[in-house]
């Protein structure tokens, strides 16, 4: 099953993607998080109804599949060893040893943008805008301290994310990843949620193309800590709720680790794709995000 959030007459509606059309679930059934909370069986019952309105699948009407967040977006760092190694010596004195357990952090839900939405770039905010193709998941049932064997049963579905990051803001505020990962409307997600029964996720190939050139390419099975282990570790003593989103880390090929380095600029187009998950396609546009700040431009700090 592929579930999307689509704009219909200016309002978000949840729909089922079926070939070139979307069958809309009843508005009274609620938003994506409400449906996920009701569970797969309830969604299956709605999907079986013969009276659902259908609209054509028009990509530009697709919104981020999840619009409502009960907490920050949960994030994984360094989950492909080739990515960990490529950044060695390039962390501006913040290098660490190879971790023995997953690295977690969070970012603001205000980062969320649609699967085909423009991303505003302001050189005053950061001189080092970078991309990170990732597989994301949404939790389907409340869980705490689950075993690895139980962990994947807690996942409702999978989708794509591009964890666009500001490398200078990651360094500027100490050894943290919140600030350089939380600029408004910089993380596209989607294009829709795919349920696990439709995927052979370990064999999926995750890619990012920048202006048509492949910059990142890896199989999900190359993860340092598989998804079951991420959920077991993250839920260890900490309750995960239906609708919680976890992004699972990016493979090698980020712009900051390249020689010469590659940073995003206005006019660039990023396409993130993975087998069975569709693609995100986002353009970088100039924006004024700094308003009346008295903090000096990050570009002048270079
Ligand atoms: Mg990331």
């Amino acid at each position: 099953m592929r579930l999307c959030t689509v704009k219909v007459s200016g309002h978000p509606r949840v729909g089922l993607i079926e070939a070139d059309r979307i069958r809309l679930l009843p508005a009274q059934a609620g938003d994506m998080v409400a449906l996920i909370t009701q569970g797969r069986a309830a969604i299956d019952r709605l999907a079986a109804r013969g009276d659902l309105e259908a609209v054509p699948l028009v990509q530009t009407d697709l919104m981020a599949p999840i619009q409502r967040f009960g907490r920050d977006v949960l994030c994984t760092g360094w989950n492909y060893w080739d990515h960990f190694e490529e950044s060695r010596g390039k962390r501006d004195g913040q290098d660490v040893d190879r971790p023995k357990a997953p690295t977690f952090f969070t970012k603001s839900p205000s980062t969320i943008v649609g699967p085909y939405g423009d991303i505003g770039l302001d050189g005053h905010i950061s001189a080092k805008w970078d991309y990170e193709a990732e597989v994301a998941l949404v939790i389907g049932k409340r869980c705490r301290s689950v075993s690895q064997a139980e962990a994947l049963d807690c996942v409702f579905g999978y989708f794509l994310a591009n964890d666009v990051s500001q490398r200078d803001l990651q360094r500027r505020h100490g050894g943290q990843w919140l600030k350089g990962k939380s600029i408004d409307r910089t993380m596209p997600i989607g294009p829709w949620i795919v349920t696990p029964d439709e995927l052979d996720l370990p064999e999926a190939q995750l890619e990012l193309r920048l202006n048509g050139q492949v910059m990142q390419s890896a199989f999900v099975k190359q993860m340092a800590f598989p998804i079951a282990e991420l959920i077991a570790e993250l839920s260890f003593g900490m309750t995960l709720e239906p609708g919680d989103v976890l992004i699972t880390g990016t493979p090698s090929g980020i712009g900051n680790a390249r020689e010469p380095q590659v940073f995003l600029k206005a006019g660039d187009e990023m396409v993130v794709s993975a087998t069975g998950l569709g693609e995100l396609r986002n353009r970088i546009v100039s924006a004024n995000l700094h308003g009346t700040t008295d903090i000096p431009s990050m570009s002048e700090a270079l």
Side-chain angles (χ1 to χ4, degrees):
M1 179 179 281
R2 292 183 296 162
L3 284 157
C4 68
T5 298
V6 60
K7 192 178 282 185
V8 178
S9 306
H11 299 286
R13 288 280 296 274
V14 176
L16 302 159
I17 307 253
E18 293 179 356
D20 57 354
R21 65 178 194 157
I22 300 170
R23 285 202 304 139
L24 301 174
L25 297 181
Q28 312 86 277
D31 67 3
M32 187 71 81
V33 173
L35 284 156
I36 289 171
T37 305
Q38 289 165 51
R40 176 65 190 265
I43 298 171
D44 285 342
R45 281 195 295 278
L46 290 171
R49 281 172 50 164
D51 61 344
L52 299 180
E53 180 191 351
V55 297
L57 172 55
V58 179
Q59 289 193 336
T60 48
D61 293 339
L62 289 179
M63 305 171 73
I66 296 174
Q67 296 279 315
R68 178 162 60 91
F69 289 80
R71 67 182 344 153
D72 267 9
V73 179
L74 303 163
C75 308
T76 313
W78 299 327
N79 202 23
Y80 294 79
W81 290 136
D82 56 353
H83 169 55
F84 180 81
E85 294 299 335
E86 73 175 350
S87 296
R88 201 178 276 280
K90 294 170 183 163
R91 298 190 180 101
D92 296 332
Q94 294 178 10
D95 262 305
V96 297
D97 291 333
R98 207 185 247 225
K100 295 183 174 58
T103 299
F104 294 124
F105 63 101
T106 70
K107 62 189 286 172
S108 169
S110 65
T111 54
I112 298 297
V113 63
Y116 311 107
D118 288 348
I119 294 174
L121 179 151
D122 183 346
H124 192 113
I125 297 289
S126 168
K128 295 186 174 181
W129 295 67
D130 205 348
Y131 50 80
E132 292 190 357
E134 305 202 19
V135 170
L137 64 86
V138 58
I139 294 293
K141 62 180 185 189
R142 178 177 291 173
C143 61
R144 183 176 64 201
S145 302
V146 288
S147 67
Q148 287 193 43
E150 303 164 300
L152 295 183
D153 292 340
C154 302
V155 177
F156 178 83
Y158 297 93
F159 49 101
L160 296 167
N162 187 349
D163 181 21
V164 170
S165 305
Q166 292 72 34
R167 302 300 180 197
D168 39 8
L169 294 186
Q170 280 183 250
R171 314 293 179 231
R172 177 176 158 88
H173 301 284
Q176 56 73 49
W177 292 356
L178 168 75
K179 185 65 189 170
K181 301 272 190 180
S182 290
I183 300 303
D184 292 346
R185 297 183 58 75
T186 52
M187 185 164 80
I189 62 170
W192 41 68
I193 297 172
V194 183
T195 51
D197 52 295
E198 294 214 357
L199 288 168
D200 181 8
L201 198 61
E203 297 299 328
Q205 188 170 14
L206 174 64
E207 269 194 1
L208 184 141
R209 281 172 281 149
L210 177 61
N211 302 325
Q213 186 183 347
V214 176
M215 305 297 271
Q216 296 185 283
S217 181
F219 289 94
V220 171
K221 63 186 175 190
Q222 290 174 254
M223 282 183 182
F225 302 100
I227 288 171
E229 190 172 350
L230 296 180
I231 294 170
E233 291 274 7
L234 195 55
S235 74
F236 184 49
M238 176 178 122
T239 303
L240 300 179
E241 299 284 352
D244 283 352
V245 169
L246 170 66
I247 63 174
T248 60
T250 200
S252 64
I254 62 163
N256 190 63
R258 288 176 171 269
E259 293 175 7
Q261 291 179 314
V262 174
F263 294 115
L264 298 170
K265 59 186 187 310
D268 284 348
E269 185 188 62
M270 299 178 291
V271 178
V272 173
S273 62
T275 321
L277 291 177
E279 67 177 31
L280 309 172
R281 185 179 290 271
N282 304 88
R283 215 160 44 94
I284 301 287
V285 299
S286 291
N288 180 339
L289 307 177
H290 65 278
T292 56
T293 186
D294 43 19
I295 296 174
S297 167
M298 293 299 123
S299 295
E300 284 162 21
L302 287 177

